[in-house]
Amino acid sequence: MRKLLFILVALAFIAGAVSAQEIAVIVKTGNSSFWQNVQTGCFNAQKELKAQSPKLSVTFLGPQSESNITEEINIVESAIDRGVKAIVLAPSDVSALVPVVKKAKEAGIPVVIIDSLLTGDPSNYVSFLATDNDAAGRACAKELIARVKAATGSDAGKIAVMSYVAGVGSEIGRVGGFKDYIAKNSKLQVVTTQYSNADMPTALNQTTNVLAANPDLVGIFGANEPTAVGMGRAIAQAGLAGKIVAIGFDGNAPLQNFVKDGTLQAIAVQSSYNMGYLGVKTAYDAAIAKKKVPAKVDTGFIIVTKDNIDSTAAKNVLY
Amino acid sequence: MSDTSTTHTDERAGNATVRKGRSKLALDRLITFGAVIVLFAVFSITAKNFFTMRSILSLALQTSTTTLMGIGVTFTIITAGIDLSIGSVIAFTGTVAVMAAIAGVPIWISMLVGLLAGVVCGLVNGLLITRMKLPPFIATLGMMMVVRGVALTITNANARPAPESFGVLGNDAIFRIGPQFPGISYPVLIMIAVAFIFHFILKRMRIGRYTYAVGSNEEAARLSGIKVGRVKIVAYIFSGLLAGLVGIILASRMVTSQPNSATGYELNAIAAAVIGGTSLMGGVGTVGGTVIGSFIIGILTVGLTMQGANYFMQQIVIGLVVIFAVYFDQLRSRK
């Protein structure tokens, strides 16, 4: 028994010495196609970088759900304990992740933040890669206002915002930008904001109830992937497809179908692939190649509608 | 009680307790049902369009899934156990059914496959608890994680659109008469049927009585010849089966497989059972009570959303309702 233990411990040490260069990618949840697309970007970057650094390994982890902030903190802590070379992190809360990111910095592990804002001292991380969520939110608002005007002839009326997790950086930017643009550029009134916790059936039920309570709603905005899918289903079920201006966010297969059949008028699609790909490359540059990296990188977004859904630009970001 | 001879007192006390017990149960049920009526009235007045045929039918549709889950978990709680894997099983079974349908399997068979997946999960839970002697909390907690992981692995976390005909079960209804009366949805009919069937099982069939016996006093049940292990396995199979049914209904309503959804649904199911009078200590609970508990949560959720109330208010209110429902229940049983 003791000999076995000795062999196992020895193996563990050897394994530790061999896996010398790990970049840990930690996202808000493993449970969504958006983040899986980020993963594809990460692994493609790994493939390219392995040519220069054969010992490089990229791990990809996330908690069960986007609202499970404590679990994300724990995953980051264990990455620090493992002694990874760099961390690429999509924080599920603007401020809760700050202490653990600080810990990583103090342990000499460079951190690259992707997708969502992190507050606190910006020197805690080396780079911030994201969609400009504020700009994307505003673009969605602009699209909604234009279409409401085209449909009803005026820019006054009631709209609803179907959001996902309150307090997360991307939401603050996206929904904040959307509401601000609406307030400054139209007479539309947001009658309610609902939070689906990024759960599709919850978004479906909430949208059904909001549509029932406000039969004169002219527009509605679904601020992330599962929320937009649930919202689209509710609109189709209520027989309102095409009768209400609906803007969604992100671009998985069900959302693409909704755009094609007119249930959703437009979707803002982020380049989640770029977040993963550029995120790993930036982390590599900072930690292993020891190069200077830009403080901010805009990974971009496209407004996809029925008219441009088949274009190459759109195809590059859809999944 | 008056003091005559000891045996007379005991007998009369015994009878009185039984009568008291039965009338207390009836009173409990009346109070919870009364709460439903009051809530319904309040929201009809304060929320726009709440008291319309359309909204009421929509409420029934939205609550049907909580009710089905609640009934399943009630069985496990009565045996003094619990089932935390419900949310994951819902996501898993819906995903399996949709994947089968996408692969070309006829819709009804795909749904049966989904139900079977739910039964298998329930069976595994039951075996973990009875053969490996794991505490139900731990066993179902572990399954919650394993099943979720499997669901995500087989789909790579992608939501896949199902063929349109898959959506009939969740979205269609009978008695459709124009836009004002959208009809009674199939899930609502399923909920009513399941409620009656499982009420019958619990109250009139032997397995139901054994379930109560195992939950009240497991040792005594074992000593009186009841196959305790088998009774528990049946309870968990019921829970898995109904979770599977919910998974199929939700997948059908969404017309999409969603391996990443239903996180945390088990807590709604448990809340529904508990508000309806099921005791976490075991041995107490009814299908009717769970149905009422589920509708209390449903009315609160739908009503508060339609009222335009802050979403966070919903969570606070439902949490308070759970706390006070159980508190009052305990007060009454302490007397």
Side-chain angles (χ1 to χ4, degrees):
Chain A
M1 191 61 212
R2 243 186 291 176
K3 255 202 234 163
L4 183 64
L5 212 59
F6 178 73
I7 294 173
L8 284 173
V9 170
L11 279 173
F13 267 115
I14 296 171
V18 161
S19 66
Q21 297 183 325
E22 178 189 341
I23 295 182
V25 179
I26 300 167
V27 295
K28 292 185 195 168
T29 176
N31 297 6
S32 100
S33 30
F34 178 86
W35 298 109
Q36 290 294 321
N37 213 29
V38 171
Q39 185 176 22
T40 311
C42 291
F43 286 151
N44 281 348
Q46 178 191 258
K47 256 192 275 179
E48 289 178 21
L49 293 170
K50 258 208 149 117
Q52 303 157 30
S53 296
K55 277 199 256 173
L56 179 69
S57 87
V58 174
T59 54
F60 188 88
L61 290 165
Q64 269 224 23
S65 97
E66 292 203 5
S67 46
N68 213 332
I69 300 168
T70 326
E71 210 188 310
E72 200 187 35
I73 296 177
N74 291 339
I75 296 176
V76 178
E77 295 231 11
S78 76
I80 298 174
D81 294 336
R82 276 204 304 280
V84 300
K85 285 285 178 224
I87 295 178
V88 178
L89 173 68
S92 47
D93 182 88
V94 264
S95 45
L97 274 291
V98 172
V100 76
V101 166
K102 198 150 179 245
K103 237 196 201 176
K105 171 184 165 189
E106 284 159 7
I109 302 174
V111 177
V112 172
I113 303 287
I114 61 170
D115 175 73
S116 268
L117 274 179
L118 195 68
T119 55
D121 188 358
S123 72
N124 280 336
Y125 48 90
V126 298
S127 188
F128 177 53
L129 283 74
T131 312
D132 190 345
N133 278 304
D134 185 82
R138 285 172 198 278
C140 289
K142 190 168 177 207
E143 189 76 24
L144 187 111
I145 294 173
R147 286 176 185 266
V148 167
K149 269 204 200 138
T152 65
S154 95
D155 70 349
K158 297 193 189 150
I159 61 172
V161 173
M162 311 306 292
S163 183
Y164 45 108
V165 179
V168 72
S170 62
E171 195 262 354
I172 294 174
R174 225 175 272 183
V175 174
F178 178 87
K179 285 185 174 174
D180 189 61
Y181 192 92
I182 293 277
K184 295 205 172 108
N185 293 285
S186 76
K187 299 196 212 62
L188 292 169
Q189 180 208 8
V190 177
V191 288
T192 181
T193 308
Q194 294 289 323
Y195 297 95
S196 69
N197 274 337
D199 183 57
M200 233 188 262
T202 306
L204 167 60
N205 286 337
Q206 286 177 339
T207 309
T208 307
N209 296 332
V210 166
L211 291 172
N214 302 283
D216 49 352
L217 217 62
V218 299
I220 192 165
F221 174 49
N224 87 339
E225 184 188 89
T227 310
V229 177
M231 177 184 88
R233 259 302 134 195
I235 292 173
Q237 250 296 285
L240 290 172
K243 302 205 185 100
I244 181 174
V245 176
I247 312 286
F249 215 93
D250 292 325
N252 64 1
L255 287 171
Q256 293 170 40
N257 289 345
F258 281 141
V259 170
K260 288 189 191 147
D261 70 24
T263 312
L264 291 179
Q265 275 59 54
I267 44 177
V269 186
Q270 314 181 66
S271 184
S272 42
Y273 177 86
N274 262 350
M275 285 186 209
Y277 182 76
L278 293 175
V280 169
K281 284 231 159 141
T282 310
Y284 180 87
D285 283 344
I288 299 173
K290 305 270 191 234
K291 283 196 253 178
K292 196 153 193 322
V293 293
K296 250 196 186 177
V297 178
D298 181 2
T299 45
F301 69 90
I302 298 187
I303 299 278
V304 173
T305 64
K306 214 196 245 183
D307 305 321
N308 69 359
I309 195 166
D310 292 314
S311 69
T312 355
K315 282 210 152 92
N316 276 339
V317 293
L318 294 170
Y319 47 88
Chain B
M1 258 161 280
S2 60
D3 256 84
T4 49
S5 85
T6 333
T7 46
H8 273 294
T9 319
D10 283 353
E11 210 180 271
R12 254 187 285 174
N15 282 340
T17 321
V18 170
R19 270 202 303 278
K20 214 179 180 192
R22 264 195 229 127
S23 64
K24 193 168 75 65
L25 217 57
L27 185 64
D28 281 357
R29 195 79 62 79
L30 215 57
I31 292 178
T32 9
F33 192 65
V36 173
I37 306 288
V38 166
L39 274 176
F40 195 80
V42 167
F43 281 117
S44 301
I45 301 171
T46 59
K48 255 189 308 172
N49 292 340
F50 187 82
F51 194 63
T52 63
M53 211 57 228
R54 212 194 158 86
S55 294
I56 295 172
L57 292 166
S58 175
L59 166 72
L61 174 60
Q62 293 179 38
T63 315
S64 62
T65 45
T66 312
T67 312
L68 290 167
M69 291 189 266
I71 294 175
V73 91
T74 303
F75 272 80
T76 63
I77 299 181
I78 293 178
T79 66
I82 196 128
D83 190 352
L84 298 175
S85 63
I86 295 177
S88 301
V89 174
I90 290 174
F92 177 61
T93 52
T95 301
V96 164
V98 169
M99 287 184 73
I102 293 177
V105 176
I107 304 290
W108 299 110
I109 302 188
S110 318
M111 293 189 171
L112 272 166
V113 170
L115 278 179
L116 200 63
V119 168
V120 168
C121 291
L123 179 62
V124 173
N125 272 329
L127 289 173
L128 287 173
I129 292 168
T130 54
R131 293 294 151 82
M132 286 176 68
K133 307 267 186 260
L134 289 171
F137 189 95
I138 305 293
T140 57
L141 185 69
M143 278 298 278
M144 170 176 97
M145 297 189 262
V146 169
V147 171
R148 175 74 63 181
V150 172
L152 292 168
T153 311
I154 60 180
T155 56
N156 206 22
N158 276 320
R160 224 74 72 77
E164 269 308 313
S165 46
F166 195 88
V168 171
L169 178 71
N171 294 313
D172 225 347
I174 59 169
F175 302 143
R176 281 185 170 226
I177 315 170
Q180 272 327 300
F181 194 83
I184 306 178
S185 319
Y186 290 146
V188 175
L189 296 171
I190 294 177
M191 168 182 73
I192 296 173
V194 165
F196 276 113
I197 293 173
F198 280 82
H199 173 81
F200 185 79
I201 294 177
L202 198 54
K203 289 293 180 183
R204 294 294 160 86
M205 288 181 66
R206 222 168 357 166
I207 185 73
R209 287 202 295 281
Y210 287 175
T211 307
Y212 280 118
V214 167
S216 312
N217 190 333
E218 193 172 315
E219 245 342 274
R222 190 190 319 273
L223 290 171
S224 48
I226 295 178
K227 300 259 193 320
V228 168
R230 233 176 263 181
V231 171
K232 285 189 180 179
I233 291 180
V234 168
Y236 285 93
I237 288 182
F238 282 160
S239 187
L241 173 69
L242 289 176
L245 188 54
V246 171
I248 293 167
I249 292 178
L250 281 180
S252 178
R253 278 192 75 201
M254 304 293 317
V255 204
T256 308
S257 71
Q258 338 126 70
N260 9 316
S261 71
T263 312
Y265 280 21
E266 50 277 346
L267 296 176
N268 282 348
I270 295 170
V274 162
I275 293 176
T278 311
S279 166
L280 289 172
M281 299 296 129
V284 178
T286 61
V287 169
T290 301
V291 172
I292 295 176
S294 155
F295 270 89
I296 289 182
I297 296 179
I299 293 177
L300 282 169
T301 310
V302 173
L304 286 169
T305 309
M306 290 183 73
Q307 214 174 38
N310 195 325
Y311 167 75
F312 312 122
M313 205 31 107
Q314 269 177 42
Q315 295 186 285
I316 296 176
V317 170
I318 294 179
L320 288 174
V321 169
V322 171
I323 291 174
F324 283 108
V326 178
Y327 178 62
F328 284 128
D329 212 52
Q330 286 196 321
L331 277 183
R332 281 200 302 270
S333 57
R334 258 183 238 155
K335 263 194 243 140

